[in-house]
Amino acid sequence: MPPSLSPIPDSNPTASPQKHTSNEMHSQMEEVQEQPTDPDWSELHRDVLLVIFDKIKTVEVLKSACTCKSWRMASREPECWRTIDMTNHGYKSGAFLLIDPTMLAIDLSHGRVEEFSIEAFGDDNLLQFLCDRTSVLKCLRLISCYFISEKGLAATIKKQPKLEEIQIAFGPFSNKVTEIVGMEAPQLKRFKFNALCMYPITGEVDEEDLSFDVAALGIAKTMHQLRHLQLTYNSITNRGLKAILEGCPHLETLDIRGCCNVSMDYDMWSLCARLTCLRQPNDSLDDYEFRDKLDDSGWHIDSVHGGSDYTDDGYIYESKSSNYDDASTDDNKSSNYGGIYDDADS
């Protein structure tokens, strides 16, 4: 018989084997699982940040740059600033505080701004600042910009040969501005002209009186490539509407809500038959962009203030043109919005 083998002696006979019960192991696993792990937002991929920045307002992108270094670096990418939207910002009478951030956003775009929208602030100097840095603008929206002149607007449009869309809402502009816009941007495809209010015609009107159709005749005379037109709360009459339909052969959509001097008779219906979409004078305003600025009667609230010195919330503010003067003395650079871009690598 082969000899029996002796068991191998333990190298450390004094050590006792460690034993874990199933309850102890389960308890340890629960402790690990219960430990909270906060996400590190600074590690978001640059491409993800750019998608996020593309979906939020310009002011929010600037604020995001204060979060951390990686966010600040991502916000320096010029593609973040192709669209500069300074509307619906909630600053009301303090909107002039957005002048410096707007100038900074323009600078950060490195000449790639394609859409530029401002509300309740800005003047000719800001538009000049924009034109000094870009010539590829496709869309310009000016809402309640009471310190921008028609001359300054014309100079801006003239320097932007790619402009296809312009919106002028409220502000100090007269009905003659439509011809000014059309003369400088004959390639315009979309135009919105939103007035404060309109004045209905009472009594007989002299056939030689064209004062009610100044805006319409300016459009008909100059905007022959127009596809989409919104002309709300204007004094336009049937004569002006007919001129538009004949002078803009490519027109597809027309919004004349609030234009109560237009009577949609048989002749008007015949002329409008080629349009793909027509919003009539008495159509619902529920989806109107400026519905919140109307009172229950359908009149623009601004009209009760009685002048162009007022912002949409009824407060008077002064033009802060000194901001541009300061910028021009510093090698024509904009303010740095609190210095968040003073040292991009820190």
Side-chain angles (χ1 to χ4, degrees):
M1 293 180 62
S4 61
L5 298 177
S6 301
I8 299 175
D10 193 337
S11 60
N12 186 7
T14 61
S16 59
Q18 295 183 354
K19 297 182 180 180
H20 298 281
T21 65
S22 60
N23 290 337
E24 290 176 344
M25 296 180 63
H26 182 70
S27 177
Q28 292 175 0
M29 292 177 62
E30 284 184 343
E31 290 179 2
V32 172
Q33 293 176 355
E34 289 175 359
Q35 292 179 356
T37 55
D38 295 330
D40 187 355
W41 298 110
S42 65
E43 295 182 356
L44 277 177
H45 194 276
R46 170 187 168 278
D47 292 341
V48 175
L49 286 172
L50 294 181
V51 171
I52 294 173
F53 291 161
D54 186 55
K55 297 182 181 298
I56 61 178
K57 290 283 188 178
T58 302
V59 171
E60 300 304 319
V61 178
L62 288 168
K63 290 179 180 178
S64 298
C66 303
T67 304
C68 59
K69 175 184 174 181
S70 62
W71 287 38
R72 183 167 64 254
M73 294 296 292
S75 68
R76 292 178 65 91
E77 295 293 334
E79 52 261 43
C80 291
W81 311 103
R82 292 181 186 274
T83 298
I84 296 178
D85 186 356
M86 289 292 194
T87 63
N88 297 317
H89 43 64
Y91 277 69
K92 297 186 178 181
S93 59
F96 66 87
L97 296 172
L98 295 174
I99 291 174
D100 282 352
T102 302
M103 295 168 68
L104 174 59
I106 294 171
D107 270 343
L108 290 172
S109 73
H110 293 282
R112 300 183 189 180
V113 182
E114 296 181 357
E115 298 182 21
F116 185 74
S117 307
I118 56 176
E119 180 177 3
F121 73 95
D123 59 14
D124 293 352
N125 291 320
L126 179 59
L127 293 184
Q128 180 63 50
F129 187 90
L130 173 69
C131 290
D132 287 343
R133 286 156 176 77
T134 185
S135 60
V136 297
L137 205 63
K138 295 181 180 179
C139 174
L140 176 65
R141 298 175 64 236
L142 306 175
I143 301 173
S144 299
C145 296
Y146 290 98
F147 294 99
I148 292 178
S149 68
E150 293 180 353
K151 181 179 179 180
L153 175 63
T156 300
I157 297 173
K158 188 174 184 178
K159 295 177 181 179
Q160 302 297 333
K162 296 186 177 182
L163 264 177
E164 295 183 348
E165 178 178 352
I166 294 177
Q167 179 174 21
I168 300 173
F170 322 130
F173 306 102
S174 70
N175 282 324
K176 293 181 180 179
V177 75
T178 59
E179 184 172 353
I180 294 173
V181 170
M183 289 289 290
E184 300 297 346
Q187 75 285 354
L188 206 62
K189 300 292 191 299
R190 184 184 298 269
F191 182 58
K192 294 183 179 182
F193 188 42
N194 310 104
L196 287 173
C197 62
M198 62 81 57
Y199 301 97
I201 297 175
T202 57
E204 295 294 329
V205 179
D206 187 348
E207 291 185 359
E208 301 297 323
D209 183 7
L210 302 177
S211 60
F212 292 96
D213 292 306
V214 172
L217 296 176
I219 294 170
K221 181 180 178 181
T222 61
M223 301 185 188
H224 305 303
Q225 300 302 316
L226 203 62
R227 265 67 171 176
H228 309 281
L229 173 62
Q230 184 179 76
L231 192 64
T232 55
Y233 285 88
N234 194 270
S235 60
I236 180 177
T237 68
N238 283 29
R239 176 172 47 192
L241 179 56
K242 180 179 179 181
I244 289 175
L245 292 169
E246 292 177 349
C248 305
H250 304 289
L251 195 64
E252 300 173 8
T253 67
L254 176 63
D255 184 352
I256 51 172
R257 284 177 290 181
C259 300
C260 64
N261 290 333
V262 171
S263 175
M264 292 302 296
D265 55 24
Y266 179 80
D267 291 337
M268 285 295 98
W269 275 112
S270 298
L271 289 172
C272 293
R274 64 181 174 86
L275 299 175
T276 58
C277 180
L278 171 63
R279 306 302 297 270
Q280 302 179 55
N282 294 322
D283 279 357
S284 171
L285 293 162
D286 288 344
D287 62 344
Y288 181 46
E289 181 179 358
F290 303 108
R291 181 67 184 87
D292 60 333
K293 301 183 187 300
L294 301 175
D295 62 18
D296 293 337
S297 66
W299 294 94
H300 278 105
I301 297 174
D302 295 18
S303 63
V304 302
H305 300 312
S308 62
D309 291 334
Y310 289 81
T311 62
D312 288 334
D313 59 337
Y315 292 93
I316 298 177
Y317 65 89
E318 299 177 357
S319 177
K320 305 296 179 179
S321 57
S322 61
N323 293 61
Y324 310 103
D325 297 336
D326 294 341
S328 61
T329 59
D330 185 19
D331 296 326
N332 208 23
K333 295 292 184 181
S334 68
S335 173
N336 205 359
Y337 198 42
I340 58 176
Y341 292 102
D342 283 342
D343 185 3
D345 297 324
S346 61

